[in-house]
Amino acid sequence: MSPLPSRDSINRFFVLSGLWVTLHVSVFTTQQAYSTLAVALWTLATTVSYAFLYLLPALLPGYLLYGFLARRAASRGGVVALAILLIGLTGMVQVLLFADRVIYSMYGFHINGFVLDLVFTPGGIASLGASRSTELTATLVVIALLALQAATYYWATRRTAGRRPRRWMPRARWLLLAVLSFAVGERVAYGFSAAANYQPILFASERYPLYLPTTFRKLASRLGVSVASEAADGLHVKHSVLNYPLVPLRVEPPARPLNIVWLAVESLRYDLLDRTIMPQLWDFSEHALRLEQHYSGGNTTQMGIFSMFYGLYGNYWFPMQAARRSPLLMDVLQQQNYQFSLHTSQSFTYPPFQETVFARMNPADMHALSEGPPAWQRDRQNIDDILKFIDSRDQSRPFMTYMFFEGTHANYTFPPESVIARPYLEDFNYLSADFAQQMVPIKNRYINAAHHVDQQIGRIIAHLRTRKLLDDTIVIVLGDHGEEFMERGRWGHAADFNRFQTSTVAVLWVPGQNARRISGISSHLDLPATLMPLLGVQNPPADFSLGQNLLAADFHRDYAVAAGWNSIAYLGEKFKISFPVNASGVVRVQVLDDDDRPVSDRDQAKSEIRPAMVEMMNNLTRFSRPKG
């Protein structure tokens, strides 16, 4: 029978594990966190106390199992189970902290509801598009962190196995008291900082995963602290019962219904519509409606696709998903006996569009190629299938086909014949790439991927032209959102609402419409308001959307709106300002100018858009009503 490790050795193991976690957490901090003595002391206290907090999921079950085994003659199996539990739980704490640090460094946010949704929704992990080398590197990191904890456990238990305990408990009590003192100290410091709006500590707190803000404004005021007025920047919205549409639709189906070819491209930012990069789409746009300052309804695929089909702010995603409410646009198409062929090179389960945009679609009409060959090959195969559908459909009925291209998603895939930008990074490993030094060859991968997507779009347009269908078919080409390549300090999307991450290519072909350009602001929200009249909907757009008809002679937007997981952004000609929605703790408001640079006079900028903010606030609840 293997001897059960002493409590002394278990204490030592957790103390050492706490040291590793403290070192790990310290990497989240920056030089600004040590700029003054007060902030440095707060940073030290927070780093230590939160390291202990992060270890609690391992501490509690570990000591419970140890206590259970200590009261009995522990078997070899029990001792092994204890070792596996302690190593596994502490190792996973390290792994999660590492993953959070990678996510935060790339996107500017911690593991949150958006990330958890990605992990636990079928198809979510696959949507990241990680290369094999990235997956291998991640696997090696996990193994290394677990090995560190295994070595720590071996060292801690080997030193005391079979020996008389060295009475670590008194020391452990003192250590626990010190950690609790740090925790209380940082709580008090944060509370007074929140009351006085002392930003160095408030903003430093954002760098800690799962940071729990504590405020006591009334107490601080009684103690003589000059209390800052509570920020009114955060928006608080409570959706109740959906009221969508506001009134029933009045529809007079057209005598000659138009077909619809809807092409959505992952991360296709605005400046890719270029004669060299996307010559096929550029030539087509010369004869269509080209939107030159077009914004997605979000900085993620979820919000981007949602907004283009519903014409609503992305924040409506959550009540729509809960109600399994499809967009009115798709309802009208079904009512008019359209036949469908819906394709994606990712999946319909992440984001879960089968619960929103395509909630009422026949699963037989939904075709996903989410695994197997590289994304560019899946894109090509989907286009093959769409062309076959167009040729084999029932020609007595109108059709709607949808395609989501994945090739332009990181890690940006393309065949050799589509290479137009060199040099490009041969192996794009998310974990080992030096983004500061390798951004040009990384972006060249993106350009090559976009060039291949353009070739596939060109195949569809040429097929419609050859089959003499262009005069009967609406063609829509949009990016779901943009993509940044460190122009403003980040790579990818989902982190900010600057133009690089939110502005997309947008081309709309409507038979009978003259070619023209709209140089002012337009939005994904405008698509349903534009298409529904073409389907015979008599209601004004305000009855069913927050968009405007792009084909109207008086079309004009003062601003666009984009949404994140728990945020909303005003995107105007002069400013881009984002606000948290239903946020707690620090109210982080991003205020950018027309060149996506931080604005010095933030209050003045917010004051200038106050009427728009009131309108946005009303729109957040426009299509819902109180219960009862």
Side-chain angles (χ1 to χ4, degrees):
M1 180 183 300
S2 298
L4 183 68
S6 67
R7 186 177 294 272
D8 187 41
S9 63
I10 299 301
N11 291 338
R12 181 181 287 113
F13 169 73
F14 276 121
V15 169
L16 291 174
S17 296
L19 175 61
W20 306 147
V21 173
T22 300
L23 292 174
H24 209 146
V25 175
S26 68
V27 180
F28 284 95
T29 63
T30 63
Q31 289 183 351
Q32 286 76 13
Y34 305 94
S35 57
T36 67
L37 179 60
V39 178
L41 290 174
W42 178 88
T43 299
L44 174 64
T46 305
T47 300
V48 173
S49 58
Y50 266 76
F52 176 81
L53 181 66
Y54 299 144
L55 267 180
L56 279 181
L59 276 168
L60 296 178
Y63 276 118
L64 285 174
L65 179 58
Y66 181 84
F68 175 80
L69 294 175
R71 289 192 295 270
R72 291 162 174 77
S75 65
R76 179 179 181 82
V79 174
V80 171
L82 177 66
I84 292 175
L85 179 73
L86 294 178
I87 294 169
L89 290 179
T90 55
M92 289 313 299
V93 169
Q94 299 274 24
V95 169
L96 288 172
L97 285 171
F98 174 80
D100 187 273
R101 184 155 54 86
V102 171
I103 291 169
Y104 190 84
S105 65
M106 290 170 62
Y107 303 116
F109 54 78
H110 297 288
I111 294 175
N112 54 19
F114 170 74
V115 177
L116 294 177
D117 187 62
L118 182 147
V119 171
F120 292 108
T121 301
I125 295 297
S127 72
L128 294 175
S131 65
R132 294 297 181 191
S133 62
T134 303
E135 294 172 353
L136 177 60
T137 302
T139 300
L140 293 175
V141 169
V142 171
I143 292 172
L145 291 173
L146 289 172
L148 171 65
Q149 290 305 125
T152 301
Y153 182 83
Y154 173 77
W155 184 87
T157 56
R158 178 186 62 83
R159 286 178 58 92
T160 59
R163 301 181 186 179
R164 186 175 179 179
R166 294 180 53 193
R167 298 190 61 80
W168 266 63
M169 281 305 292
R171 302 183 205 176
R173 291 192 184 100
W174 284 110
L175 180 62
L176 179 60
L177 180 61
V179 170
L180 290 176
S181 299
F182 281 144
V184 171
E186 74 87 8
R187 294 284 84 188
V188 171
Y190 181 91
F192 279 97
S193 297
N197 194 30
Y198 183 62
Q199 295 190 355
I201 285 180
L202 297 183
F203 290 160
S205 70
E206 294 181 332
R207 302 191 66 86
Y208 291 90
L210 301 176
Y211 188 83
L212 304 173
T214 300
T215 59
F216 34 84
R217 300 173 59 83
K218 291 182 179 179
L219 176 60
S221 179
R222 290 172 184 169
L223 294 175
V225 175
S226 178
V227 176
S229 61
E230 289 195 72
D233 293 328
L235 303 181
H236 297 274
V237 179
K238 184 177 181 180
H239 286 291
S240 48
V241 178
L242 282 173
N243 188 27
Y244 171 74
L246 296 180
V247 297
L249 295 185
R250 303 183 305 277
V251 185
E252 296 179 10
R256 184 186 169 204
L258 295 171
N259 307 310
I260 300 176
V261 173
W262 197 309
L263 308 177
V265 185
E266 171 69 49
S267 305
L268 193 69
R269 84 180 200 181
Y270 68 98
D271 55 354
L272 288 188
L273 187 54
D274 175 273
R275 287 186 179 90
T276 302
I277 299 172
M278 303 190 77
Q280 305 279 345
L281 184 58
W282 175 268
D283 289 344
F284 185 63
S285 74
E286 292 280 79
H287 305 283
L289 176 61
R290 186 162 75 219
L291 308 173
E292 297 184 329
Q293 195 179 168
H294 186 84
Y295 287 97
S296 170
N299 56 10
T300 63
T301 297
Q302 174 175 310
M303 300 307 182
I305 299 297
F306 177 89
S307 60
M308 70 173 71
F309 275 92
Y310 285 86
L312 303 177
Y313 297 169
N315 312 84
Y316 279 93
W317 167 279
F318 306 101
M320 290 293 181
Q321 182 185 21
R324 299 297 193 269
R325 184 66 176 91
S326 56
L328 292 168
L329 174 61
M330 298 302 290
D331 292 350
V332 171
L333 292 176
Q334 287 183 301
Q335 292 161 9
Q336 296 186 11
N337 201 29
Y338 272 68
Q339 51 197 315
F340 298 91
S341 186
L342 311 172
H343 297 256
T344 177
S345 295
Q346 187 37 252
S347 73
F348 290 109
T349 60
Y350 186 82
F353 293 126
Q354 87 284 4
E355 298 175 358
T356 51
V357 176
F358 305 120
R360 298 183 182 178
M361 289 290 104
N362 184 343
D365 294 331
M366 300 170 66
H367 311 282
L369 298 177
S370 58
E371 298 178 349
W376 70 264
Q377 286 185 291
R378 303 198 302 271
D379 287 343
R380 185 177 290 182
Q381 181 60 56
N382 270 317
I383 298 305
D384 290 343
D385 295 340
I386 287 175
L387 300 185
K388 291 176 184 176
F389 162 76
I390 291 173
D391 289 343
S392 62
R393 76 193 191 285
D394 179 354
Q395 298 191 19
S396 66
R397 298 165 53 199
F399 72 86
M400 186 270 194
T401 187
Y402 165 84
M403 170 60 189
F404 184 81
F405 292 91
E406 180 72 4
T408 41
H409 189 290
N411 59 357
Y412 318 119
T413 63
F414 49 89
E417 63 269 23
S418 297
V419 173
I420 60 170
R422 291 186 174 88
Y424 60 85
L425 195 63
E426 293 284 351
D427 179 22
F428 184 9
N429 185 321
Y430 297 171
L431 299 180
S432 64
D434 184 340
F435 289 101
Q437 299 297 320
Q438 296 179 309
M439 193 47 59
V440 170
I442 289 173
K443 187 176 180 181
N444 284 343
R445 287 188 64 92
Y446 175 66
I447 291 171
N448 294 334
H451 188 63
H452 179 258
V453 167
D454 179 69
Q455 293 169 330
Q456 305 314 304
I457 293 173
R459 290 176 61 200
I460 294 181
I461 295 170
H463 197 80
L464 293 172
R465 185 176 288 117
T466 300
R467 297 297 188 271
K468 302 187 185 306
L469 288 171
L470 271 181
D471 290 339
D472 302 301
T473 304
I474 298 168
V475 180
I476 304 162
V477 183
L478 297 169
D480 60 344
H481 51 74
E483 190 84 337
E484 183 181 346
F485 290 88
M486 305 294 284
E487 288 90 351
R488 296 296 177 265
R490 295 199 183 278
W491 164 68
H493 54 272
D496 289 320
F497 290 98
N498 58 48
R499 189 177 186 191
F500 302 103
Q501 295 193 31
T502 57
S503 188
T504 78
V505 169
V507 176
L508 176 63
W509 163 269
V510 178
Q513 292 288 320
N514 294 327
R516 64 190 179 100
R517 306 175 190 176
I518 295 180
S519 58
I521 293 172
S522 60
S523 168
H524 278 11
L525 301 176
D526 300 323
L527 266 295
T530 304
L531 297 176
M532 293 286 258
L534 301 174
L535 298 172
V537 175
Q538 305 299 305
N539 301 60
D543 283 355
F544 56 83
S545 83
L546 299 173
Q548 303 175 37
N549 191 335
L550 291 163
L551 303 179
D554 60 348
F555 173 81
H556 172 77
R557 267 191 173 277
D558 291 325
Y559 64 93
V561 175
W565 185 258
N566 55 1
S567 56
I568 192 168
Y570 164 96
L571 308 174
E573 295 281 4
K574 189 175 180 180
F575 301 113
K576 298 180 184 70
I577 306 180
S578 62
F579 301 83
V581 176
N582 296 335
S584 61
V586 180
V587 178
R588 168 72 79 171
V589 178
Q590 182 187 60
V591 184
L592 306 176
D593 63 15
D594 59 345
D595 193 34
D596 299 308
R597 305 285 185 179
V599 171
S600 56
D601 193 343
R602 294 158 55 91
D603 291 337
Q604 175 61 31
K606 288 183 286 185
S607 176
E608 287 188 35
I609 71 157
R610 190 65 62 189
M613 284 303 304
V614 173
E615 184 176 52
M616 290 168 60
M617 183 67 182
N618 291 333
N619 286 341
L620 281 168
T621 55
R622 177 176 172 79
F623 291 94
S624 61
R625 63 175 183 270
K627 295 180 180 178

